[in-house]
Amino acid sequence: MWQFFLDFYGYAVFFYSLGLIISYVVLMILAYRGLFQSTDNMVDDYAYRVVERSPYTPGVSIVAPAYNEEKTVVDNIKSLLKQKYPKFEVVIVNDGSKDSTLETMITNFDMVPVDFAYVEYLQTKPFKRLYRSTNPLYEKLIVVDKENGGTKADPINTGINVASYDYFINTDVDCILTEDAIYQCMLPVMRHNNVIAVSGMMTMSNGCDIENGEIKKLAPPSDPIPLWQELEYLRSFFVGKMGWSAINAMSNVSGGFGLFDRRIVLKAGGYSADSFAEDMDVLLRMMGYCCENDIDYRVVQVSKICARTEGPGDVKNLKRQRTRWGRGLFQTFDRHFKKVANPTYRRVGLITLPYILVFEFMAPVIEIVGMITVVYLAFTGGVNWPSAVVIFSAIYIFGFMLSLVTLLYAYKSKTTYTKLSHYLRLAVAALLEPVLYHPLLTFFSINGYINYLRGTKAVWVAIARKGYASKPGENPAPPTAGAEKVSGGIDNVVDETVEPLAEPTSPTANA
């Protein structure tokens, strides 16, 4: 019986790996077409002039939650206000900060409370007050004060309630946006009348020199953890998202930066306040609404870098982040499982979600079982070492080749780094990633699955930021303790687990 299991598992892993390799090759081909052959990525001066002068240019609201950001909030808001787009506003949602974040914004931007007819289109924690600036330099800035919502989704919903325009960008107050970020995301919207969401490319800011909310020197991270994560980001956007976008089958828009049709978000019910994967959850809700109501839609990945964000700089904070991601992925399939292999939900239901279920959700489980099996066979003399070395080498070489193709795409697109040495540093990281970094992600994902199945309660804490300061050499305050949340990007919102909930969520329930 045990031998039958080993034989079955061996064949299953072989065909699983073959399917994964084929899917990556297909995504690389689709991504190449999307990056270098699609006319959607061609942006010229004429397009900019039309957008700048047209009275019909759609307005955009930048919604950014802020929690305990007193050290960096001023420079970060000034960075958000530097967008070169004719019609936009910046909505900063103070999510019950316990430091002087609100007072800092009021003082530095000459804010005063104003009467505002707040309409709660989406239910959130109580709204307190809205502030506007008396300084014409900051006329595009709106600050909303509210009670703490416990997750990033709650202040985003408040920002959507307050937003004036039909399109909004969900970002983080500590993200550094490129000056043409809104342009890059709005051009697909203006070219196609059925675009409901646009994903802007993101990379890491850990290795950059940042001063007054601007990147003065661009470079990849020097520390290993964020350097490997930078490689992940590039693979995700330049191969994964660009490939899925080419066939209109994207399943999520990054929570750190993305543009959405506010009207569709409202009709879909907004962000789920208790979601740990709000970026994927809200897009699935939007696409579900469109499919169920026979509405044509497109979700687009643009080929230009729109934002840079800081990620975990050590293993401890990486564990918190990836445990949350694993928990969020499990929660997403719990709530949206009815969409998997369901033709009602078009390509996402028939292609993307089954792919994610098999090759992303199940991957950590298969890898853990594989590790245990290999260890057992090694001790019992059941490993054919020459064959094992050949198989491992083939998989290792393919993974390295995938990373090299990603770096080639990034280099050819001319949107990331300018020095060849920067790409060489990432190539070296790719050599070590499979043996030093990837096993950590596997264990952290499994930890997230277990936490979700146990129904443990999550608390929100801030990652320890390294190297991000409003002035060179100045570091933010240490992370808060306890059941707190920082409204940072997908990298800055992390979770730990404490006591079990009274009623654990069923992993088979559908939303």
Side-chain angles (χ1 to χ4, degrees):
M1 183 65 183
W2 179 243
Q3 186 60 44
F4 172 80
F5 168 78
L6 292 176
D7 292 340
F8 176 81
Y9 183 77
Y11 282 110
V13 169
F14 171 78
F15 287 108
Y16 181 90
S17 301
L18 181 63
L20 187 61
I21 290 172
I22 293 172
S23 69
Y24 279 142
V25 172
V26 172
L27 284 174
M28 283 190 282
I29 295 171
L30 292 174
Y32 180 86
R33 292 173 55 189
L35 283 166
F36 306 113
Q37 296 181 351
S38 173
T39 57
D40 282 349
N41 295 319
M42 297 180 182
V43 181
D44 53 25
D45 292 338
Y46 176 74
Y48 282 112
R49 290 197 299 272
V50 170
V51 172
E52 183 72 32
R53 299 173 183 177
S54 174
Y56 303 105
T57 297
V60 178
S61 302
I62 300 177
V63 177
Y67 180 82
N68 290 357
E69 305 277 357
E70 62 181 0
K71 292 289 185 179
T72 58
V73 70
V74 174
D75 288 337
N76 291 331
I77 290 176
K78 289 180 179 179
S79 174
L80 295 177
L81 289 169
K82 291 179 180 178
Q83 285 296 298
K84 292 182 178 179
Y85 189 80
K87 194 175 181 181
F88 76 96
E89 65 181 3
V90 176
V91 181
I92 305 297
V93 183
N94 178 52
D95 194 32
S97 296
K98 294 185 178 181
D99 62 2
S100 62
T101 298
L102 179 62
E103 292 75 13
T104 299
M105 290 188 288
I106 291 174
T107 301
N108 285 273
F109 296 103
D110 304 321
M111 310 297 293
V112 295
V114 296
D115 293 333
F116 182 77
Y118 180 73
V119 180
E120 195 176 53
Y121 301 104
L122 303 172
Q123 185 176 1
T124 67
K125 291 293 183 178
F127 167 94
K128 291 182 179 179
R129 188 168 291 179
L130 185 140
Y131 297 83
R132 287 187 179 273
S133 178
T134 57
N135 188 333
L137 293 175
Y138 309 125
E139 63 180 358
K140 296 181 182 294
L141 177 62
I142 298 171
V143 173
V144 180
D145 188 27
K146 63 177 288 293
E147 291 185 8
N148 183 266
T151 65
K152 182 185 175 184
D154 193 73
I156 296 174
N157 283 338
T158 300
I160 295 172
N161 289 338
V162 171
S164 305
Y165 299 122
D166 288 336
Y167 295 91
F168 74 93
I169 285 177
N170 166 25
T171 188
D172 305 314
V173 76
D174 59 354
C175 274
I176 308 297
L177 306 189
T178 60
E179 291 185 341
D180 64 345
I182 297 181
Y183 267 116
Q184 296 295 340
C185 289
M186 283 303 295
L187 286 173
V189 173
M190 290 182 274
R191 283 177 173 147
H192 309 282
N193 61 9
N194 60 347
V195 174
I196 64 171
V198 180
S199 172
M201 286 196 178
M202 290 181 61
T203 57
M204 307 294 288
S205 65
N206 293 56
C208 304
D209 289 342
I210 303 172
E211 186 177 350
N212 298 322
E214 294 185 7
I215 294 178
K216 298 299 183 181
K217 182 181 178 182
L218 187 61
S222 55
D223 294 333
I225 295 297
L227 182 63
W228 279 318
Q229 194 168 25
E230 170 76 338
L231 190 61
E232 278 189 287
Y233 268 61
L234 294 177
R235 266 200 312 264
S236 172
F237 285 104
F238 279 98
V239 175
K241 291 184 185 295
M242 283 303 306
W244 291 120
S245 175
I247 60 171
N248 193 26
M250 284 181 61
S251 61
N252 81 304
V253 171
S254 174
F257 183 89
L259 180 138
F260 300 87
D261 187 324
R262 178 173 175 267
R263 296 158 296 186
I264 299 297
V265 171
L266 289 173
K267 290 178 180 177
Y271 285 76
S272 179
D274 62 345
S275 174
F276 285 92
E278 70 282 338
D279 52 350
M280 187 174 183
D281 179 78
V282 72
L283 188 60
L284 289 176
R285 289 156 70 97
M286 293 172 68
M287 293 187 294
Y289 169 81
C290 291
C291 292
E292 291 162 5
N293 291 276
D294 198 25
I295 298 173
D296 188 31
Y297 72 88
R298 290 184 65 175
V299 180
V300 178
Q301 172 66 54
V302 298
S303 61
K304 306 296 182 183
I305 300 296
C306 293
R308 297 183 186 272
T309 185
E310 186 178 18
D314 54 41
V315 174
K316 179 181 179 181
N317 285 299
L318 179 70
K319 177 184 177 181
R320 288 173 171 172
Q321 181 201 61
R322 296 314 170 96
T323 296
R324 172 185 175 261
W325 288 14
R327 182 189 185 112
L329 184 61
F330 205 129
Q331 182 188 53
T332 298
F333 275 107
D334 183 353
R335 295 183 172 183
H336 297 277
F337 192 76
K338 70 175 183 179
K339 296 181 174 67
V340 178
N342 189 332
T344 301
Y345 300 98
R346 306 175 194 175
R347 291 185 179 95
V348 170
L350 293 176
I351 302 175
T352 314
L353 286 179
Y355 174 89
I356 295 174
L357 178 64
V358 174
F359 292 116
E360 294 186 20
F361 178 76
M362 291 299 300
V365 178
I366 293 173
E367 289 179 28
I368 289 292
V369 173
M371 293 177 189
I372 296 172
T373 303
V374 169
V375 170
Y376 170 80
L377 292 176
F379 278 102
T380 58
V383 177
N384 185 331
W385 290 109
S387 298
V389 170
V390 170
I391 294 172
F392 175 81
S393 299
I395 295 174
Y396 179 85
I397 291 171
F398 178 82
F400 182 62
M401 183 201 72
L402 174 62
S403 295
L404 290 183
V405 170
T406 299
L407 295 179
L408 177 62
Y409 286 178
Y411 178 77
K412 285 194 64 177
S413 67
K414 300 178 181 180
T415 61
T416 49
Y417 302 109
T418 56
K419 296 182 179 180
L420 185 60
S421 60
H422 294 161
Y423 292 98
L424 291 177
R425 187 189 304 178
L426 288 163
V428 172
L431 284 172
L432 301 174
E433 181 188 20
V435 292
L436 297 180
Y437 181 67
H438 185 75
L440 294 176
L441 303 187
T442 299
F443 287 109
F444 298 159
S445 296
I446 291 293
N447 188 47
Y449 295 174
I450 293 172
N451 289 345
Y452 185 74
L453 288 171
R454 290 176 58 198
T456 50
K457 181 181 178 181
V459 294
W460 296 74
V461 297
I463 66 171
R465 296 177 180 173
K466 181 179 180 181
Y468 186 88
S470 57
K471 297 179 181 178
E474 178 183 335
N475 290 322
T480 55
E484 305 291 349
K485 174 196 77 81
V486 57
S487 287
I490 202 166
D491 305 315
N492 295 337
V493 183
V494 293
D495 105 281
E496 292 180 336
T497 55
V498 286
E499 71 278 4
L501 295 171
E503 296 182 3
T505 307
S506 168
T508 59
N510 295 330

